[in-house]
Amino acid sequence: MRLLRALLRSASPGSIPQQVDFYSRFSPSPLSMKQFLDFGSENACEKTSFMFLRQELPVRLANIMKEISLLPDNLLKTPSVQLVQSWYVQSLQEILDFKDKSSEDSGAIHSFTDTVIKIRNRHNDVIPTMAQGVIEYKESFGIDPVTSQNVQYFLDRFYMSRISIRMLLNQHSLLFGGKINPAHPKHIGSIDPSCNVVEVIRDGYESAKRLCDLYYMSSPELILEELNAKSPGQPMQVVYVPSHLYHMVFELFKNAMRATMEHNADRCIYPSIHVHITLGNEDLTVKMSDRGGGVPMRKIDRLFNYMYSTAPRPRVETSQATPLAGFGYGLPISRLYAQYFQGDLKLYSLEGYGTDAVIYIKALSTDSIERLPVYNKAAWKHYKANHEADDWCVPSSEPKDMTTFRSI
């Protein structure tokens, strides 16, 4: 709270709230994967990126800052949410400092790149810190259905905004930060123009397998099948961000392995995890099937709820901790990564048998367009709406006693 007030006072009086109000009137400008790729490979110009980002970043920051302000007061007062707010205020102020700088000033452009890297590093722990804030609120005040619905709506949009802002920061810093990753010299920023899907999936499996072996002293095998229906006989490649795909499959492998090991613990025989990859004209589809016992249909939606987790809650203090284990954020964040470029992640479960997890990714870079939240009247109404009675009958847990029925 003190840090946030200090940051607001350090700017000119009322400037940050006024700037947030101003920039939130504009809608973010979604970019396609092809635009990211073309800019980085053909027209990589630090000056052009500088001019775009100093306008676009304040818009994306301000839009989500307006939504943060609509959260319940007691949630806003938690130390963790206050800390996140202070990061956003500070980052917005630092970007706005370049608003009137000349695009011909090479010193200003170089300084801007340094600022972008600093902002990216500052926001490294946004996800676990916001998660901690929600936990603090839940433990102190509980969660009613209306608040739960609003927090779910907000976190989906907040984390999607965070993914998009980080994408912009990464592209600029990787292209113009002066450092090229020798392991991936052909990457355009964080994008691989020829992302080898099978290789990324195997990497995700091996990482999850190491964790599984450490915890359970064994792990399920991987059976992988691929079908390139678009170009038979050719490698399975798409234009994509490998780190996003890795995040998704690593999370799915962890869940599949845990379910498989625990469901089959008595037999000590652990069925393999099957992964099918298909590349069509429009979609790249990855289906992961396990024999981990599945979950009841009524629990499927809970798996994407930020308030729900099937693992013990960990103590997470920094980004160096095991990524989000126990926060219940693995699946919902993975789904956001899939949806970010117009894909999706869905679960189909057979209770008593196992679960199929399906990732959909756009096969064409022109179709892979950012999915961005925008602050407007519709979003505002969502936070202010009251929880109304359901317009469908709610089944009773007890059968109706027909002996008491009276005809009218």
Side-chain angles (χ1 to χ4, degrees):
M1 181 73 79
R2 292 178 181 176
L3 176 58
L4 182 61
R5 288 173 177 170
L7 287 169
L8 290 171
R9 283 198 302 267
S10 67
S12 55
S15 64
I16 287 296
Q18 290 172 5
Q19 295 288 1
V20 169
D21 286 341
F22 174 75
Y23 282 100
S24 64
R25 296 172 191 163
F26 301 94
S27 295
S29 302
L31 301 175
S32 70
M33 190 76 79
K34 187 177 187 307
Q35 287 175 304
F36 276 116
L37 198 64
D38 289 347
F39 172 81
S41 57
E42 298 176 7
N43 307 302
C45 173
E46 191 171 5
K47 172 183 170 182
T48 304
S49 182
F50 163 71
M51 294 172 65
F52 173 72
L53 291 185
R54 70 175 178 179
Q55 293 295 328
E56 181 64 15
L57 284 173
V59 172
R60 297 194 186 193
L61 289 167
N63 268 262
I64 203 62
M65 289 170 76
K66 289 293 286 188
E67 294 201 34
I68 293 175
S69 68
L70 296 177
L71 291 173
D73 288 342
N74 288 326
L75 178 54
L76 287 173
K77 291 176 183 177
T78 60
S80 297
V81 175
Q82 287 286 326
L83 180 58
V84 171
Q85 275 193 297
S86 72
W87 290 339
Y88 275 72
V89 168
Q90 189 172 356
S91 298
L92 177 60
Q93 182 61 61
E94 289 174 358
I95 293 295
L96 292 177
D97 288 342
F98 291 90
K99 183 175 63 173
D100 298 321
K101 301 286 186 181
S102 171
S103 59
E104 303 299 328
D105 184 347
S106 59
I109 293 177
H110 180 75
S111 177
F112 180 79
T113 300
D114 291 341
T115 299
V116 162
I117 294 172
K118 182 169 67 175
I119 291 173
R120 183 194 63 186
N121 294 339
R122 176 185 300 131
H123 288 244
N124 279 343
D125 292 324
V126 160
I127 293 178
T129 306
M130 180 60 79
Q132 186 61 41
V134 173
I135 289 173
E136 292 166 7
Y137 173 80
K138 185 178 179 181
E139 291 180 346
S140 298
F141 303 99
I143 295 284
D144 60 87
V146 177
T147 303
S148 179
Q149 181 181 342
N150 287 345
V151 169
Q152 180 73 21
Y153 175 81
F154 165 76
L155 289 177
D156 269 341
R157 295 165 65 81
F158 176 75
Y159 290 137
M160 184 68 88
S161 171
R162 191 255 184 186
I163 290 171
S164 78
I165 291 170
R166 196 164 187 83
M167 183 71 184
L168 295 182
L169 298 175
N170 273 335
Q171 286 303 103
H172 186 88
S173 59
L174 291 172
L175 287 171
F176 308 113
K179 295 181 180 179
I180 298 176
N181 187 345
H184 305 289
K186 295 183 178 180
H187 282 198
I188 308 301
S190 59
I191 300 171
D192 187 348
S194 303
C195 179
N196 189 316
V197 177
V198 174
E199 187 177 294
V200 175
I201 289 174
R202 289 194 184 278
D203 285 346
Y205 168 77
E206 292 298 333
S207 297
K209 183 179 186 297
R210 283 192 291 272
L211 291 179
C212 190
D213 286 337
L214 282 172
Y215 193 82
Y216 295 103
M217 306 302 292
S218 186
S219 57
E221 294 297 319
L222 170 65
I223 297 177
L224 193 149
E225 299 178 31
E226 53 183 295
L227 172 65
N228 192 335
K230 183 179 181 180
S231 303
Q234 297 298 312
M236 201 78 71
Q237 296 180 340
V238 291
V239 180
Y240 206 65
V241 184
S243 60
H244 290 187
L245 178 58
Y246 175 87
H247 182 104
M248 290 183 267
V249 297
F250 175 60
E251 182 62 33
L252 292 179
F253 274 127
K254 282 196 302 179
N255 292 345
M257 288 181 184
R258 178 184 167 208
T260 300
M261 300 304 292
E262 295 182 358
H263 182 66
N264 298 280
D266 293 341
R267 296 189 301 145
C268 294
I269 299 174
Y270 307 109
S272 300
I273 296 172
H274 291 249
V275 174
H276 297 259
I277 313 167
T278 303
L279 179 60
N281 291 323
E282 294 189 20
D283 297 325
L284 168 79
T285 309
V286 178
K287 184 177 79 168
M288 185 183 301
S289 305
D290 67 57
R291 294 279 302 276
V295 294
M297 183 184 70
R298 65 182 176 84
K299 290 186 176 181
I300 288 290
D301 288 342
R302 291 186 197 175
L303 300 180
F304 291 104
N305 191 307
Y306 296 99
M307 309 297 174
Y308 178 80
S309 175
T310 57
R313 180 165 69 85
R315 295 179 181 178
V316 175
E317 297 178 358
T318 71
S319 59
Q320 303 303 313
T322 302
L324 305 179
F327 270 120
Y329 280 30
L331 279 175
I333 295 292
S334 294
R335 183 169 65 175
L336 292 181
Y337 273 116
Q339 293 174 341
Y340 174 49
F341 280 116
Q342 303 299 325
D344 208 349
L345 190 161
K346 295 182 179 292
L347 297 181
Y348 304 94
S349 188
L350 287 75
E351 186 186 8
Y353 183 81
T355 300
D356 288 351
V358 183
I359 299 171
Y360 297 97
I361 292 173
K362 292 294 183 182
L364 301 176
S365 59
T366 50
D367 293 340
S368 300
I369 303 169
E370 290 183 294
R371 184 172 185 258
L372 305 176
V374 57
Y375 174 76
N376 53 24
K377 189 173 290 186
W380 182 87
K381 284 182 178 179
H382 189 98
Y383 292 102
K384 299 301 180 183
N386 292 321
H387 188 70
E388 298 179 356
D390 201 339
D391 54 357
W392 291 87
C393 290
V394 179
S396 173
S397 58
E398 297 293 334
K400 186 176 182 65
D401 183 1
M402 298 304 294
T403 62
T404 62
F405 178 77
R406 296 180 181 179
S407 59
I408 298 176

